[in-house]
Amino acid sequence: MDPVVLFFLLGLIARIAKSDLRLPESLYDALAIYLLLAIGLKGGVQLAQQPLATVLPQALAAIALGACIPLLAFPILRLKLARADAASIAAHYGSVSVVTFAVATSFLAAQSVATESYMPLIVALMEAPGIVVGIVLARTGSAQRIAWGALAHEVLFGKSVLLLLGGLAIGALIGPEGMEPIAPLFTDLFKGVLALFLLEMGLVAGGQIGDLKRAGPFLTAFGVGAPLAFGLLGALVGHLLGLSVGGAAVLAALAASASYIAAPTAMRIAVPEANPALSIGVALGVTFPFNLFVGIPVYLHYARWFGGS
Amino acid sequence: MDPVVLFFLLGLIARIAKSDLRLPESLYDALAIYLLLAIGLKGGVQLAQQPLATVLPQALAAIALGACIPLLAFPILRLKLARADAASIAAHYGSVSVVTFAVATSFLAAQSVATESYMPLIVALMEAPGIVVGIVLARTGSAQRIAWGALAHEVLFGKSVLLLLGGLAIGALIGPEGMEPIAPLFTDLFKGVLALFLLEMGLVAGGQIGDLKRAGPFLTAFGVGAPLAFGLLGALVGHLLGLSVGGAAVLAALAASASYIAAPTAMRIAVPEANPALSIGVALGVTFPFNLFVGIPVYLHYARWFGGS
Amino acid sequence: MDPVVLFFLLGLIARIAKSDLRLPESLYDALAIYLLLAIGLKGGVQLAQQPLATVLPQALAAIALGACIPLLAFPILRLKLARADAASIAAHYGSVSVVTFAVATSFLAAQSVATESYMPLIVALMEAPGIVVGIVLARTGSAQRIAWGALAHEVLFGKSVLLLLGGLAIGALIGPEGMEPIAPLFTDLFKGVLALFLLEMGLVAGGQIGDLKRAGPFLTAFGVGAPLAFGLLGALVGHLLGLSVGGAAVLAALAASASYIAAPTAMRIAVPEANPALSIGVALGVTFPFNLFVGIPVYLHYARWFGGS
Amino acid sequence: MQTHDRKMLVIIGEAALEKSLVRDARSFGAHGYTIADVRGGGERGDREARWEADRSIEMKMICDAAVAEKLAQHVLASYAPNYALTLFTADVGVFRPQKF
Amino acid sequence: MQTHDRKMLVIIGEAALEKSLVRDARSFGAHGYTIADVRGGGERGDREARWEADRSIEMKMICDAAVAEKLAQHVLASYAPNYALTLFTADVGVFRPQKF
Amino acid sequence: MQTHDRKMLVIIGEAALEKSLVRDARSFGAHGYTIADVRGGGERGDREARWEADRSIEMKMICDAAVAEKLAQHVLASYAPNYALTLFTADVGVFRPQKF
Ligand SMILES: Nc1ncnc2c1ncn2[C@@H]1O[C@H](COP(=O)(O)O)[C@@H](O)[C@H]1O
Ligand SMILES: Nc1ncnc2c1ncn2[C@@H]1O[C@H](COP(=O)(O)O)[C@@H](O)[C@H]1O
Ligand SMILES: Nc1ncnc2c1ncn2[C@@H]1O[C@H](COP(=O)(O)O)[C@@H](O)[C@H]1O
Ligand code: NA
Ligand code: NA
Ligand code: NA
């Protein structure tokens, strides 16, 4: 477990104890923008040193993985939930959590497990496909049409994809020397900012507990079972793609994670009849902390297991 | 005098000159959260290397000191002020100013005067007792009852105590190695952020001058005399506890300082009939700058004097 | 071209593509405050090591240059624009863009071209004269009187002048050793923060495109021609003052730049009948990006040309 | 100085609706709108504005009674079933009748 | 579409009151509330929202006249003597009468 | 509890006007004012509050009808020709008539 995870715990305790601690809204936004940009930049600098074509198979596989996960999640969720809710939750799990990615990467670094340099690109690519599939699932067999144009725009120019891809492009263009003068902000501070953001995530997650109780045990169980299952799938795909043990573990963590930046915004507009308290409650109230405290080490086990080491 | 104090002066000048310089509200909040957390973390890392039980006597003495100060201040303030106002001001002086602590610590470091590693714990412990005593003083002999439950909650889970104690706990758990990756944010930037926060404090303090004029010479004199007297008491207590010269100087500065984060919030709710312009005016408009510019070096003299060096 | 300029491009693309990326208002304010203060501090530390009197001729010349530029710009702008609009735009070009200064400085540093240490003082001095002249131009031959008192206050205690001069003064007082503990914030992070601010400037500039289209080709041409011409003048003045090639290039960039912090605020109050969409559109939508991408290297050429190297 | 009667339609709801509401306001003929960031609570629970999904806005439009009525009807039909939303109208007086 | 008459009670006051006012609103039967951060000035001087002690909020509740009246009375009695506070009511029209 | 009729004058406009509007409100006899940061759009285009020049405020004053009228007249004459600006009045009821 990474030390930064303790900040999440502090936030969670503060919220549950009804402390008056509250991070300013604009700080939340600023930290999120920083993290997305910094992850992109770091990945871009590394991508610059590598022919892009070699990454193509992994890129396509990641997109396919993100698109498949909702298809797997949906029928299970339909056992208990309305179509819109099942589709919306499935979309959250198809997309990825950038903070989970950051914590996983830093956990692996602390364990001296190397990962492929292009993983931030994979994050950017896995943001959207799950969301698109989730929306299609919600609308299948319904009279409502999908606004494909608006959806494509949202997917390509939504804040998180834009910052990740923008950071990647800038990082690739400026390379390691260009990165140097901005590294004190975007590299050295990264871990500390991640800690602060996890404090805020704890405060937010603590507010989901009530919704979660109303949602009942089925959804809570899903919030634990889904990451374990999708993490296994992610590790397997990573192994089949020939990723290193570290890379497979990261892909597992991505598959196991549920989005709470891009997906909630997109689903609220595209599938308004889905109850956001359910999807956000399980993604942020169960799966996110589960991944932080339990999941990430498990995914490394998965990867080692497939990797035969 | 520490260079960062010049930032306070700049803010003060800007406000008095009616400049349009204004730091965003959320920046004020963000900087305050950062400072509290960073102070806690630093203290926690150092605490980790020391058996907690050895600190117990100092901890209890600090709590007692914080509780005594309002009892000393109250009768003097009563000479001219209504009960509620006297009690509220007494509470502000019983509690502590975290920024005064930070400036004192950095002043001592610049003078190469060592201080005990557990002083941040002392800060956290001294936040609340003075406030509780102040509220009791306000309500003694009055029909209004004290909401002890709400008060206890406020004291334990108020923003500043929570962040200080939370930081301490995290620091103690992660230790020096765990601190390393987040040190660029929480250690290296500390002094610069303190400078920015002092700029903001100058802007705020400059706005208190009008209130202060209305409050008259008695309160202004109190704002200078109280820190000198309580600082002496703090240095004496520190000496009797066997603290180093640096530690006694810090305890003196804490005793001499008046709270403007925790106390104003708490008193506004618990003793609403007290006029906040009086307590904030004297704490922020007189005692805070007095400590920055004059008091802190004096408290080091006190400590040296008792320490016999 | 400096790598940080790519962040401007990213912001511009995001805005033009109608991305939902939006930096919080208070982040914009915080970054601007930081940049002004950091530039002032850096300059002040360097000024401390140099007798102030030796800078006097350059200081006076910079003030004169700032005051002359609107007089040159005004008759050209009057060809097509109303008096108030022409005067307001002239004022923007008479004043300076602090971010253009920062990018120019960092470009020169990357090219290993040395600049005079007192250039930040020149920036502070060149903020206001052009604005004052612009206001006088707007009011000449009009019944409306100029509120000289309010104007002087605005000029001396306006946010940007106050932070630049305040930073300079603090930097000069604390010197290199005093700067050391706050350098991780104010020096090391500078380039990264500049990159973030450029991202925000790109988002803002992208919003000016519509206004610009309405303004027509005359103003767009002015936005390119003016910096080229005033940059030449600046380089010449720098050469005549005996500045180094780097110093002359910076003075050229300052002359060529148009203010978008101090000037818009001042003109909105002092010359309300001027349409801010025109002045901000051309300053931020044309000249600012032109300087970033094309102008700054050109001004170095100018300076080299005059310098005979 | 005489004032002219107009309606002010106020919509309080999830921040996610901002873009759509502005589009609707324009297409139904409102000449302008003003938006503030707010927090609050109602039937659908508390919205404390701590993060994106939790933010609310208050939008007000001054317009003639017919526009207010049609816009309100559209908003009620389109968004009220699925979004946290409050709508009300008030009578206001304006000084420049052609502007609203 | 018909609107139904309700009262809007607006309370402008120190941010320190937020928790108490929300609690009071609920206990007096308001079905919801909306809060915005504001700054201002009045009898008790200027409140510029520069830092914690200096912040103000504006809270509005739409409710029936009886609830508004009782809540206003309580707020006036409990807080007006000691806090910077402004209270007023306005007539508003709502579309879903059961909601307020 | 009885309420007393007053006027609320609301001014929505460019943030650059804040200082002047506060000064005017005082000199025309308003006993107080409240300001919120807003964004919006109207005749003079959209004002999205992304940076300084793009910010708007909403200022409200509760006062008697005569003060509201004179203040409105002054604001319309002084600022409306050159600034993005919206003005309106509404009837409100206050509980402490001497305060407004
Ligand atoms: N009675 C009310 N008075 C004022 N604001 C309300 C009221 N009811 C709801 N709201 C606001 O409207 C939002 C959505 O309301 P609801 O759909 O009832 O959850 C809430 O978050 C509040 O900001
Ligand atoms: N006449 C008024 N019109 C609008 N807002 C007011 C008025 N008087 C007071 N306020 C607001 O109410 C707060 C408290 O008022 P007071 O108790 O008079 O200081 C002020 O800070 C203003 O935000
Ligand atoms: N009809 C309207 N309803 C509500 N707010 C408006 C309206 N018209 C204008 N506004 C606000 O007033 C500001 C200035 O309006 P304008 O001068 O028409 O551009 C806008 O930015 C809006 O915030
Ligand atoms: Na996933
Ligand atoms: Na004290
Ligand atoms: Na210029």
Side-chain angles (χ1 to χ4, degrees), chain B residues 119-157:
Chain B
M119 295 314 289
L121 175 62
I122 302 295
V123 180
L125 295 175
M126 284 181 79
E127 280 260 9
I131 295 174
V132 175
V133 172
I135 294 172
V136 173
L137 285 171
R139 290 288 162 262
T140 305
S142 116
Q144 273 176 280
R145 300 261 295 287
I146 300 173
W148 286 106
L151 184 56
H153 184 268
E154 173 91 8
V155 155
L156 288 173
F157 296 106

Side-chain angles (χ1 to χ4, degrees), chain C residues 69 92-96 254-258:
Chain C
I69 286 173
H92 284 69
Y93 283 83
S95 186
V96 295
L254 286 172
S257 74

Side-chain angles (χ1 to χ4, degrees), chain E residues 3-73:
Chain E
T3 62
H4 307 260
D5 292 348
R6 288 291 180 281
K7 283 280 173 195
M8 175 168 73
L9 175 64
V10 179
I11 306 172
I12 303 173
E14 302 183 22
L17 289 174
E18 179 163 338
K19 260 194 207 171
S20 313
L21 288 174
V22 170
R23 211 183 320 107
D24 294 342
R26 288 217 182 92
S27 73
F28 279 84
H31 293 195
Y33 64 93
T34 297
I35 294 176
D37 292 313
V38 298
R39 54 189 176 279
E43 268 172 15
R44 292 184 183 244
D46 284 351
R47 302 182 52 77
E48 301 187 45
R50 283 180 182 253
W51 66 302
E52 274 129 337
D54 198 32
R55 291 183 187 157
S56 304
I57 56 165
E58 176 181 314
M59 182 176 183
K60 56 183 64 149
M61 280 136 304
I62 296 158
C63 38
D64 61 40
V67 168
E69 153 115 36
K70 265 185 245 144
L71 184 49
Q73 229 155 1

Side-chain angles (χ1 to χ4, degrees), chain C residues 107-108 110-114 235 239 244-246 248-249 252 296-309:
Chain C
F107 170 79
L108 293 172
Q111 307 274 315
S112 311
V113 178
H239 175 64
S244 68
V245 164
I296 289 170
V298 170
Y299 309 141
L300 176 56
H301 276 290
Y302 284 169
R304 287 210 165 113
W305 190 49
F306 285 121
S309 67

Side-chain angles (χ1 to χ4, degrees), chain B residues 59-142:
Chain B
L60 294 176
I63 292 175
L65 178 60
C68 279
I69 286 172
L71 298 173
L72 298 169
F74 183 69
I76 297 166
L77 290 159
R78 275 297 270 153
L79 295 176
K80 292 268 181 181
L81 297 171
R83 168 172 283 271
D85 286 323
S88 170
I89 298 172
H92 283 69
Y93 283 83
S95 186
V96 294
S97 150
V98 174
V99 173
T100 305
F101 167 76
V103 174
T105 308
S106 120
F107 170 79
L108 293 172
Q111 308 274 318
S112 310
V113 178
T115 60
E116 274 74 10
S117 63
Y118 49 75
M119 295 314 289
L121 175 62
I122 302 295
V123 180
L125 295 175
M126 284 181 79
E127 280 260 9
I131 295 174
V132 175
V133 172
I135 294 172
V136 173
L137 285 171
R139 290 288 162 262
T140 305
S142 116

Side-chain angles (χ1 to χ4, degrees), chain B residues 10-34:
Chain B
L10 178 59
L12 202 67
I13 291 169
R15 182 67 179 267
I16 292 173
K18 294 187 195 302
S19 162
D20 65 348
L21 176 62
R22 189 188 158 111
L23 267 64
E25 283 171 62
S26 49
L27 183 61
Y28 172 88
D29 287 342
L31 296 179
I33 289 169
Y34 169 92

Side-chain angles (χ1 to χ4, degrees), chain C:
Chain C
M1 208 180 68
D2 197 286
V4 294
V5 169
L6 294 170
F7 288 84
F8 179 82
L9 216 59
L10 178 59
L12 202 66
I13 291 170
R15 183 68 179 267
I16 292 173
K18 293 185 197 300
S19 162
D20 65 348
L21 176 61
R22 188 189 160 114
L23 267 63
E25 284 171 61
S26 49
L27 184 60
Y28 172 88
D29 287 343
L31 297 179
I33 289 169
Y34 169 91
L35 289 177
L36 291 163
L37 210 45
I39 289 173
L41 284 168
K42 195 180 160 205
V45 168
Q46 295 173 329
L47 262 185
Q49 293 151 310
Q50 165 159 24
L52 203 65
T54 64
V55 189
L56 204 65
Q58 286 84 343
L60 293 176
I63 292 175
L65 178 61
C68 279
I69 286 173
L71 298 173
L72 298 170
F74 183 69
I76 298 166
L77 291 159
R78 276 296 271 152
L79 295 176
K80 291 267 182 183
L81 297 171
R83 168 172 283 271
D85 286 322
S88 170
I89 298 172
H92 284 69
Y93 283 83
S95 186
V96 295
S97 149
V98 174
V99 173
T100 306
F101 167 76
V103 174
T105 308
S106 119
F107 170 79
L108 293 172
Q111 307 274 315
S112 311
V113 178
T115 60
E116 276 73 11
S117 63
Y118 49 76
M119 295 314 289
L121 175 63
I122 302 294
V123 180
L125 295 176
M126 283 182 79
E127 280 259 11
I131 295 175
V132 174
V133 172
I135 294 172
V136 173
L137 285 171
R139 291 288 164 260
T140 305
S142 116
Q144 274 176 276
R145 301 259 298 285
I146 300 174
W148 286 107
L151 183 57
H153 183 268
E154 173 90 7
V155 156
L156 289 172
F157 296 106
K159 184 173 85 175
S160 43
V161 170
L162 187 111
L163 286 170
L164 279 171
L165 288 184
L168 276 163
I170 293 178
L173 285 168
I174 64 179
E177 329 77 67
M179 190 67 193
E180 228 168 78
I182 59 175
L185 179 63
F186 288 112
T187 307
D188 301 353
L189 296 191
F190 185 79
K191 206 64 186 290
V193 173
L194 182 61
L196 268 186
F197 195 73
L198 281 167
L199 176 65
E200 169 73 19
M201 295 302 303
L203 288 165
V204 172
Q208 310 300 323
I209 310 267
D211 286 340
L212 214 62
K213 276 200 200 129
R214 274 187 293 281
F218 172 75
L219 213 51
T220 309
F222 181 85
V224 170
L228 286 173
F230 298 141
L232 194 65
L233 178 66
L236 176 63
V237 170
H239 175 64
L240 296 176
L241 284 170
L243 295 189
S244 68
V245 164
V250 171
L251 194 63
L254 286 172
S257 74
S259 161
Y260 49 82
I261 296 188
T265 312
M267 299 316 283
R268 200 74 198 100
I269 297 296
V271 189
E273 69 273 29
N275 179 357
L278 296 181
S279 48
I280 295 174
V282 66
L284 210 55
V286 183
T287 298
F288 182 69
F290 175 78
N291 279 333
L292 290 193
F293 293 105
V294 181
I296 289 170
V298 170
Y299 309 141
L300 176 56
H301 276 290
Y302 284 169
R304 287 210 165 113
W305 190 49
F306 285 121
S309 67

